[in-house]
Amino acid sequence: MAADDDEQLSIYDEVEIEDMTFDEALQTYHYPCPCGDKFEIALCDLQDGADIAVCPSCSLMIRVIFEAEDLPGVKGVGEEEGGKVVAVSA
């Protein structure tokens, strides 16, 4: 993200990814927001280089501090825990 983009965003806080909760079913990281809802950012967005989690109920945003190589792999359709591809029939 460019410095100009940072100046236009109003970042509430910076949070280490280790402090966030990962929802395996939704492949999304969550962190409590002061408004009572949760900041959220999808794993695929983090893997694409995004680092801003937003709260769906208010205008607050946080920057997620993480190392890309430490992110879990994305589970695609037809994959198991072990990363093996399983045939899926319709």
Side-chain angles (χ1 to χ4, degrees):
M1 189 171 271
D4 291 339
D5 292 339
D6 286 347
E7 292 172 8
Q8 293 174 357
L9 294 176
S10 178
I11 305 299
Y12 171 72
D13 200 1
E14 292 187 349
V15 176
E16 296 280 340
I17 199 163
E18 293 84 11
D19 296 331
M20 299 180 79
T21 303
F22 183 62
D23 183 327
E24 279 197 56
L26 298 175
Q27 295 287 292
T28 304
Y29 281 91
H30 298 278
Y31 188 78
C33 180
C35 79
D37 203 347
K38 297 176 185 174
F39 295 103
E40 54 187 41
I41 187 166
L43 176 58
C44 61
D45 291 335
L46 290 166
Q47 291 171 328
D48 287 341
D51 65 349
I52 303 297
V54 297
C55 176
S57 296
C58 70
S59 61
L60 293 179
M61 295 178 274
I62 58 171
R63 180 174 314 282
V64 180
I65 309 300
F66 69 100
E67 297 292 331
E69 59 269 9
D70 294 337
L71 294 173
V74 176
K75 290 184 194 170
V77 174
E79 287 189 18
E80 292 181 338
E81 281 287 322
K84 297 177 184 175
V85 175
V86 178
V88 178
S89 59

